[in-house]
Amino acid sequence: MRRTFVRLAIALLAVCSALLTGCTVGPKYVRPSASAPPAYKELTPENFKDTDGWKVSQPGDATLRANWWEMFNDPQLNALEEQVNISNQNIAAAAANFLAARALVRQARAQYYPTITVNPGITNQRPSSGQFGGVSTTGGGSSGGGFALSSFTDYSLPFDASWVPDLWGRVRNTVLSNVAAAQANAADLANVRLTAQTEVAVDYFEIRTQDALKQLFDQTVAAYQDSLELTQIQFNAGIAADEAVAQAETQLEATQAQDTDLGISRALFEHAMAVLLGQPASTFSLPSEPLQANPPAIPFGIPSQILERRPDVAAAERLVAQANAQIGLATAAYYPTVTLSATAGFSNTSIATWFAWPSRFWSVGPTLAETLFEGGLRRATVQQFRALYDRGVADYRQTVLTAFQQVEDNLASLRILSREIQQQDTAVTSAQRNLQAATQRYRAGIDPYLNVITAQTTLLTNQQTAVNLRRAQMTASVQLVEALGGGWDVAQLPSTRDVSQMTPAAPVK
């Protein structure tokens, strides 16, 4: 009988192992569809035939590299980007989230295997006399026929093993869900890194823009100082009125105030840069250097590549896979649970014969558990996870739509800014000619000094606009790189094996 029982148990284990992967319940995962346009609307020869100052890359050009900022050919920017990859605290937090998600995968995989425990014990005990019907335990009093109860020690060394075969894919779906979640965290880490890199580049060009404006205002203040001196000379000679001197002084002092005010914006951007680099704002500074606007030709590829190159799109898709696995996990609750348990060990009241063969004991057998009534709980749970899956699909498609919008937005910005910069440069040239003419007419005594002030103000305004347009052009270039995925690719997502291994994984890029 004993041998037959053991054989039946072994046969049951074999059947369970065969069913382990064959009876997984729940829907099979299929990546949700998302429509991709055949081409970007903004990238037509007609749209870019009149542009200047920004080259349009061709679809056959090389794709973006991981160190995409090197396209801007700025050594200072390169050094800052390398620092953000190491010291940014948002990146560090996202990396910790990924490591925690990997640990959950290993926790889930542990359920594939049996649990074995040991509980050795040495118990000294004395039975109660009440267990023997009040029989005297004095060993020979007046009652006669009594016997003595003495204490004894029980030595036990039991080993317990239990295993719940994954007959319906409960563990498998848990693992699939956690793997998808870990991969989504890896994509989130890549997206956080890309966002930080983009913010560093944007803040860097903002700082350089402030330096360019500072240079412009310093030159303007010097020019206004010369104009004031000229007006004072003419006033002293009786050619100009005191009104002209007051106007020149007012213009100079107001421009000096604007020049000083530029320091606030630069300081704020510099402090923001310090935080991105993981440094206290008090210890970080960036030398002054005016903006050199030279937007690169950015390889944009074809629209369908967005689905493979954007980490946020990859994260949204992995969350859909996670929701799909959770449907299977909820469906498995409809089926019974089989638990295989076994206990074996040694037990004796004598330490000398504790491990003797006659002291052995064992037991083995399966148990089955099935919920007969739960008031619709399982059905409601399945419906909940199906709804969460549908929401995940909608979020994924919305993320794809947003990705295409961001690419088109920045392509349109670059196209329009390229033409606007040409027009603004022409306006600056015209304003310079107007100032020269107004100055000559004032010196000749034809026009009042107010005309010179008006011309000077017009020139400064147009020069400011030209600088800010170039800042917007560089910012749009950076944001286009971000919209295209910044050199990331879905192939960089860790595999199931990567997120399941016990040893630390390589950094997710």
Side-chain angles (χ1 to χ4, degrees):
M1 285 293 293
R2 183 188 308 166
R3 186 174 300 176
T4 301
F5 183 78
V6 172
R7 288 176 178 174
L8 288 174
I10 293 174
L12 180 60
L13 289 174
V15 172
C16 292
S17 298
L19 293 174
L20 188 61
T21 57
C23 291
T24 301
V25 296
K28 183 179 179 181
Y29 178 67
V30 178
R31 180 173 178 167
S33 61
S35 58
Y40 294 114
K41 180 180 69 173
E42 287 293 331
L43 289 176
T44 62
E46 181 155 347
N47 275 346
F48 284 88
K49 65 182 181 180
D50 296 327
T51 60
D52 187 21
W54 185 67
K55 297 180 180 179
V56 181
S57 180
Q58 298 303 315
D61 290 352
T63 57
L64 286 167
R65 297 175 299 171
N67 296 344
W68 52 265
W69 50 86
E70 294 177 353
M71 293 188 301
F72 293 91
N73 295 318
D74 191 318
Q76 182 67 67
L77 176 61
N78 294 345
L80 294 172
E81 293 288 1
E82 292 298 332
Q83 291 181 48
V84 77
N85 285 330
I86 299 172
S87 304
N88 183 271
Q89 296 306 301
N90 289 332
I91 296 176
N97 286 338
F98 170 63
L99 294 178
R102 285 181 64 232
L104 289 177
V105 175
R106 297 197 297 273
Q107 291 177 26
R109 287 181 60 85
Q111 300 178 63
Y112 280 130
Y113 307 99
T115 300
I116 301 175
T117 61
V118 62
N119 185 26
I122 301 176
T123 307
N124 188 278
Q125 57 183 311
R126 179 183 183 279
S128 169
S129 61
Q131 292 178 295
F132 299 93
V135 177
S136 173
T137 61
T138 61
S142 59
S143 60
F147 61 91
L149 294 178
S150 61
S151 63
F152 66 92
T153 302
D154 181 37
Y155 300 92
S156 63
L157 182 63
F159 292 89
D160 297 308
S162 63
W163 181 46
V164 180
D166 191 24
L167 299 179
W168 319 113
R170 180 183 61 85
V171 177
R172 178 175 172 80
N173 279 315
T174 302
V175 171
L176 289 175
S177 174
N178 289 347
V179 165
Q183 291 172 330
N185 273 273
D188 287 338
L189 170 57
N191 195 52
V192 169
R193 181 179 286 112
L194 175 59
T195 300
Q197 292 168 345
T198 301
E199 290 178 354
V200 165
V202 169
D203 286 355
Y204 177 77
F205 290 126
E206 289 281 3
I207 292 173
R208 293 307 178 217
T209 299
Q210 298 305 312
D211 292 340
L213 290 173
K214 177 66 175 174
Q215 182 184 62
L216 171 62
F217 271 82
D218 287 347
Q219 294 171 349
T220 303
V221 166
Y224 288 0
Q225 184 67 49
D226 293 340
S227 296
L228 174 59
E229 293 174 357
L230 172 63
T231 306
Q232 288 173 333
I233 292 173
Q234 291 185 321
F235 171 74
N236 293 333
I239 301 175
D242 182 58
E243 179 184 14
V245 175
Q247 290 172 339
E249 289 174 342
T250 301
Q251 184 185 41
L252 173 61
E253 292 160 357
T255 305
Q256 287 174 332
Q258 290 179 283
D259 192 9
T260 302
D261 187 69
L262 291 172
I264 297 177
S265 297
R266 192 188 195 282
L268 294 180
F269 283 119
E270 194 173 68
H271 299 163
M273 177 77 75
V275 173
L276 289 170
L277 301 179
Q279 300 183 28
S282 303
T283 63
F284 177 79
S285 62
L286 201 61
S288 177
E289 183 180 337
L291 176 69
Q292 301 295 326
N294 185 24
I298 300 172
F300 48 83
I302 57 177
S304 61
Q305 291 178 331
I306 287 290
L307 305 181
E308 307 294 329
R309 290 168 50 176
R310 292 248 320 202
D312 58 339
V313 171
E317 185 274 329
R318 288 289 81 200
L319 291 178
V320 176
Q322 179 189 21
N324 186 81
Q326 289 173 336
I327 295 174
L329 183 60
T331 305
Y334 279 106
Y335 300 91
T337 300
V338 176
T339 303
L340 302 180
S341 301
T343 300
F346 298 90
S347 180
N348 205 303
T349 58
S350 172
I351 192 171
T353 57
W354 187 3
F355 299 107
W357 188 245
S359 299
R360 73 190 185 280
F361 68 89
W362 63 269
S363 66
V364 63
T367 59
L368 184 143
E370 168 66 355
T371 301
L372 299 180
F373 178 76
E374 30 68 10
L377 174 63
R378 289 173 292 187
R379 182 179 180 184
T381 303
V382 172
Q383 290 175 342
Q384 173 194 3
F385 284 111
R386 287 191 180 276
L388 292 176
Y389 171 84
D390 293 338
R391 185 188 71 179
V393 171
D395 289 342
Y396 168 71
R397 290 173 176 163
Q398 183 63 36
T399 304
V400 172
L401 291 174
T402 302
F404 288 128
Q405 175 195 355
Q406 291 173 345
V407 173
E408 293 286 1
D409 285 350
N410 288 289
L411 286 173
S413 295
L414 287 169
R415 172 177 62 84
I416 295 171
L417 282 168
S418 181
R419 295 176 180 173
E420 190 176 0
I421 287 172
Q422 296 178 50
Q423 295 164 347
Q424 188 60 41
D425 288 345
T426 302
V428 169
T429 301
S430 299
Q432 289 171 335
R433 286 177 35 238
N434 178 48
L435 177 58
Q436 291 174 355
T439 302
Q440 291 173 356
R441 292 175 66 84
Y442 168 71
R443 287 180 174 179
I446 301 175
D447 289 339
Y449 187 71
L450 181 60
N451 287 11
V452 176
I453 291 178
T454 301
Q456 288 174 329
T457 303
T458 300
L459 174 59
L460 178 58
T461 300
N462 280 278
Q463 288 173 324
Q464 280 183 271
T465 301
V467 172
N468 286 321
L469 286 176
R470 284 172 168 79
R471 184 264 307 158
Q473 186 183 48
M474 298 302 289
T475 299
S477 296
V478 172
Q479 291 173 340
L480 176 59
V481 171
E482 181 184 23
L484 293 171
W488 188 84
D489 188 88
V490 72
Q492 297 179 31
L493 276 182
S495 65
T496 300
R497 180 179 179 181
D498 292 334
V499 298
S500 303
Q501 63 186 358
M502 297 297 294
T503 57
V508 180
K509 298 182 179 180

